[in-house]
Amino acid sequence: MSVIPLRPVHGPASSAKPRHIFMLHFDIVRGCQLRCLGCPTPVIEPKVYRIPVEDFARCLANIDVEKVAYLRLYRAGEPLLHKQLAALVEQIPKQRWKASIVEISTNAQWVDWAQFEEAMRLEVVNRLVVSCDGDGTPEEYERLRPPSKWEKLMEFLERARVIRDRWAPGMHLGTRTIVRTRSDAQRWEQLLRPLGWTPEFRKWMALPEAKENLTGRAVVVPRGHCVYIADAEEFVHKAWFGEMNQLYIDGDGTVVPCCVHPHAAVLGDLRTERYSDILAGERRRKMMAAMASSRATMSVCGVCDVGPVGREGPSYWSTFAYWNPEKPELPEG
């Protein structure tokens, strides 16, 4: 995977109203029932908050663009904990903008099957992703993702595929799976592909305030504002209609800078503000200025190793796509 180089920017970013968003993460649930070792579990609330359907619809309506490339109903919380999942999904095709990819990413440990099936019947979600880490054994999976149970993961993989086949055969089934060695990747491949799931392998990220740093490396904080809060004009390869805008939304409708930490800052509130105003707003400008001048003193960004466009760093580029025996990224073992 090549690094996107930084485009020289001379003068302030464009003030033109955005028309496109490349990446949009919306946490429909704030909170998670797991305490995964590599996640910032101390700051992910154990008490679950589910965004009301009317607030979700209001937030979507205030996203004043024409197209979205990726809409993920996930950021830090667990989306399948929402008790009105189908009603939320139903709001997406009502918007003025169209999303090319609509994804639900889940830990696969709890699901209301009736709600899940109703949501899949709408054929709005076209990508379902399960997070599962470790060496492909029940013991390591459960150790890294307490209090997960291997049998629940297996049940979800099988039942979700049956529902997909019945109601939404065009939906992609995949996993995001953190591994350390080639043997780990092979074990997951042999398990997942026969069940109809395509694994995407990753290395560990160094997430701020994570329970453990599982990367094996010291965190080196870069200078400047990070790629997540970057202006669209900073990207040389602006594949998505020339606008690489990003939007990250918390479970209460507030806009935050990224998907790396649950609450690095608040940039606005989509329940009452339009996206274009938040993007051009004072809070975002102040945060970018603070990262440029004194990032090391910031409580969250000052312990994060994600860098600016062109120097994003190893945590940002943790994905190495699909395993094959010729890939050099993983050691033997």
Side-chain angles (χ1 to χ4, degrees), residues 21-26 63 68 70-72 97 247 249:
I21 294 174
F22 180 72
M23 184 65 67
L24 196 169
H25 285 217
F26 200 135
I63 300 174
V68 173
Y70 293 89
L71 168 58
R72 289 177 174 163
W97 45 264
L247 175 58
I249 310 167

Side-chain angles (χ1 to χ4, degrees), residues 2 21 25 58 61 64 68 82 89 95 102-103 118 130 132 147 179 188 192 203 239 279 284 314 320 328 330:
S2 61
I21 294 174
H25 285 217
R58 188 176 300 115
D64 50 341
V68 173
H82 206 291
V89 171
Q95 306 310 311
V102 179
E103 175 187 307
E118 185 179 348
V130 170
C132 48
V179 294
W188 281 113
L192 294 168
K203 302 174 185 177
L279 184 66
R284 180 172 174 272
F320 53 92
L330 289 175

Side-chain angles (χ1 to χ4, degrees), residues 26-47:
F26 200 135
D27 238 349
I28 59 175
V29 172
R30 175 192 278 177
C32 181
Q33 80 277 43
L34 302 188
R35 290 295 173 262
C36 302
L37 300 190
C39 285
T41 53
V43 289
I44 298 178
E45 296 86 346
K47 185 177 181 180

Side-chain angles (χ1 to χ4, degrees), residues 131-326:
S131 55
C132 48
D133 310 320
D135 61 4
T137 65
E139 296 78 15
E140 184 68 357
Y141 168 80
E142 292 180 358
R143 184 187 75 84
L144 290 169
R145 307 176 66 84
S148 292
K149 298 298 180 185
W150 180 262
E151 57 268 25
K152 289 185 178 181
L153 171 65
M154 292 296 100
E155 179 191 12
F156 185 89
L157 294 175
E158 293 172 358
R159 291 185 67 175
R161 186 200 65 226
V162 170
I163 291 172
R164 186 283 304 268
D165 292 347
R166 181 183 302 146
W167 299 115
M171 179 188 296
H172 172 79
L173 301 179
T175 72
R176 293 193 179 98
T177 302
I178 298 173
V179 294
R180 292 191 184 276
T181 70
R182 297 189 188 189
S183 296
D184 298 348
Q186 282 183 297
R187 202 172 290 114
W188 281 113
E189 286 272 350
Q190 293 164 1
L191 172 72
L192 294 168
R193 288 194 185 271
L195 294 174
W197 296 77
T198 301
E200 175 192 276
F201 295 113
R202 298 185 169 208
K203 302 174 185 177
W204 287 104
M205 300 173 65
L207 299 180
E209 299 188 83
K211 189 173 181 181
E212 295 184 26
N213 178 2
L214 298 173
T215 66
R217 65 176 186 271
V219 173
V220 178
V221 182
R223 300 179 65 180
H225 65 260
C226 74
V227 64
Y228 291 113
I229 201 171
D231 285 318
E233 290 81 1
E234 294 181 55
F235 296 90
V236 171
H237 302 298
K238 301 186 290 297
W240 186 248
F241 294 93
E243 287 187 284
M244 295 287 287
N245 290 306
Q246 303 167 83
L247 175 58
Y248 302 95
I249 310 167
D250 199 6
D252 60 357
T254 53
V255 173
V256 295
C258 67
C259 57
V260 170
H261 187 274
H263 311 297
V266 174
L267 306 180
D269 190 337
L270 275 175
R271 292 170 300 182
T272 58
E273 301 173 79
R274 292 190 180 276
Y275 165 65
S276 58
D277 294 330
I278 296 172
L279 184 66
E282 184 66 20
R283 280 183 280 189
R284 180 172 174 272
R285 286 198 298 271
K286 285 183 176 179
M287 182 170 186
M288 292 178 73
M291 293 185 78
S293 64
S294 54
R295 177 169 174 173
T297 67
M298 300 173 73
S299 60
V300 175
C301 302
V303 292
C304 178
D305 68 353
V306 176
V309 178
R311 294 183 288 111
E312 297 89 350
S315 286
Y316 183 82
W317 292 116
S318 63
T319 303
F320 53 92
Y322 308 109
W323 176 86
N324 73 62
E326 305 303 320

